[in-house]
């Protein structure tokens, strides 16, 4: 087995999105090819409700899947398919935007702590994938205790155990809780892009210290070793195969060519954006 070393580290920048939600944009346009197929990663962490209460009113997406994980707080998803659901502490929601979807996300709670990940769709699926929503609730999330913590399987598979999985691009997404100075070795697929995000606390991996709220692109190998600092840590691990395709991105739309982007924008303003209305 070969341990993955640390590659690129990104902490991002403070930004606002939606109706004024304050967040840290960790991954974005500058990192799309480095972290392929992970396009965007937004980090939320605030106890000031004014930072997030306005939420993300209805907006379109095409060509991607969005995965929102709420460690603390709540998030209410609503979409043009008629789906409406609120997730709470430790739960997630998955939107396949596919050929076109409209949705809103309204956060709440005393503290909003979590992430939103944009996962690219393969070119062959961008306009063929029907929009769909799935809430990943606690009863669907398997937990695996280890000496000094636990691993929660949000999506994908872990040591032969299968969790919920999207249809188009396989994503292994783990919520790892480590007690102070605890250590965990995680097997990962050699062909995949593997990213860590230190949601809470600092860690050491492959001899490198990683501060809290840092995304880390791990280099080649088939295992990742994570050791928590003196205060413990909560670490998100995301693993998926890279697409190695051209990316054309404008706002909430991610396609492969500028012509496809122009078509999407034209349809948003002049009609025809929604191609499918079938439920998951």
């Amino acid at each position: 087995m070969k341990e993955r070393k640390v590659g690129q580290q990104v902490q991002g920048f403070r930004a606002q999105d939606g109706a004024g939600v304050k967040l840290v944009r960790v991954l974005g346009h500058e990192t799309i090819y480095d972290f392929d197929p992970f396009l965007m990663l937004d980090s939320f962490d605030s106890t000031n409700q004014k930072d997030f209460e306005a939420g993300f009113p209805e907006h379109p997406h095409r060509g991607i899947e969005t995965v929102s994980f709420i460690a603390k707080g709540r998030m209410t998803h609503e979409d043009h398919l008629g789906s409406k659901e609120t997730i709470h502490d430790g739960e997630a929601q998955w939107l396949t935007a596919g050929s076109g979807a409209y949705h809103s996300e309204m956060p709440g709670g005393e503290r909003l702590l979590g992430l939103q990940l944009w996962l690219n769709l393969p070119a062959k699926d961008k306009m063929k994938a029907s929009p769909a929503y799935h809430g990943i609730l606690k009863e669907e999330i398997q937990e695996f205790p280890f000496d000094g913590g636990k691993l929660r399987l949000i999506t994908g598979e872990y040591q032969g155990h299968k969790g919920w999985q999207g249809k188009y691009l396989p994503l292994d997404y783990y919520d790892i809780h480590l007690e102070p100075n605890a250590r965990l070795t995680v097997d990962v697929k050699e062909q995949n892009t593997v990213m860590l995000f230190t949601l809470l606390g600092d860690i050491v991996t492959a001899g490198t210290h990683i501060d809290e709220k840092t995304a880390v692109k791990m280099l080649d190998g088939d295992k990742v070793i994570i050791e928590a600092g003196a205060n413990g840590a909560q670490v998100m691990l995301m693993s998926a195969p890279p697409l190695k395709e051209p990316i054309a991105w404008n706002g909430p739309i991610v396609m492969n060519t500028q012509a496809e982007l122009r078509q999407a924008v034209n349809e948003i303003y002049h009609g025809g954006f929604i191609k499918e209305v079938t439920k998951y």
Side-chain angles (χ1 to χ4, degrees), residues 36-210:
D36 175 27
F38 307 127
L39 295 166
M40 195 180 81
L41 187 69
D42 283 347
S43 170
F44 314 100
D45 190 359
S46 177
T47 56
N48 182 355
Q49 294 183 352
K50 291 183 178 179
D51 287 347
F52 54 82
E53 63 185 2
F56 303 91
E58 185 178 75
H59 57 279
H61 283 298
R62 177 178 284 177
I64 61 171
E65 302 189 273
T66 67
V67 188
S68 300
F69 172 76
I70 300 299
K72 296 290 183 185
R74 64 180 183 269
M75 184 80 78
T76 299
H77 166 98
E78 193 166 1
D79 60 43
H80 79 278
L81 300 169
S83 307
K84 184 175 182 179
E85 185 172 60
T86 301
I87 61 169
H88 301 85
D89 297 7
E91 297 180 329
Q93 53 191 22
W94 182 298
L95 173 72
T96 300
S99 60
Y102 281 94
H103 80 144
S104 62
E105 297 157 298
M106 304 305 290
E110 294 183 2
R111 179 184 188 183
L112 182 66
L113 173 66
L115 296 173
Q116 183 174 94
L117 173 72
W118 285 18
L119 184 67
N120 204 3
L121 278 169
K124 65 181 179 63
D125 296 319
K126 284 183 182 289
M127 293 303 295
K128 292 182 179 179
S130 297
Y133 168 79
H134 182 80
I136 305 169
L137 307 183
K138 287 180 181 177
E139 54 266 27
E140 197 170 13
I141 299 172
Q142 301 175 65
E143 293 192 0
F144 301 90
F146 58 88
D147 186 17
K150 65 181 178 181
L151 181 148
R152 304 175 69 244
L153 175 57
I154 307 300
T155 69
E157 60 181 15
Y158 175 70
Q159 295 184 344
H161 299 272
K162 295 185 182 297
W164 188 84
Q165 183 62 276
K167 290 183 177 182
Y168 302 102
L169 195 68
L171 170 67
D172 294 333
Y173 196 168
Y174 306 151
D175 172 22
I176 301 169
H177 297 247
L178 294 150
E179 296 172 6
N181 304 311
R183 178 184 173 100
L184 177 67
T185 299
V186 183
D187 295 336
V188 294
K189 299 177 179 70
E190 285 191 84
Q191 71 274 18
N192 280 7
T193 298
V194 175
M195 173 172 66
L196 301 179
F197 184 77
T198 46
L199 186 65
L200 291 173
D202 61 322
I203 63 169
V204 172
T205 182
T208 302
H209 180 268
I210 309 296

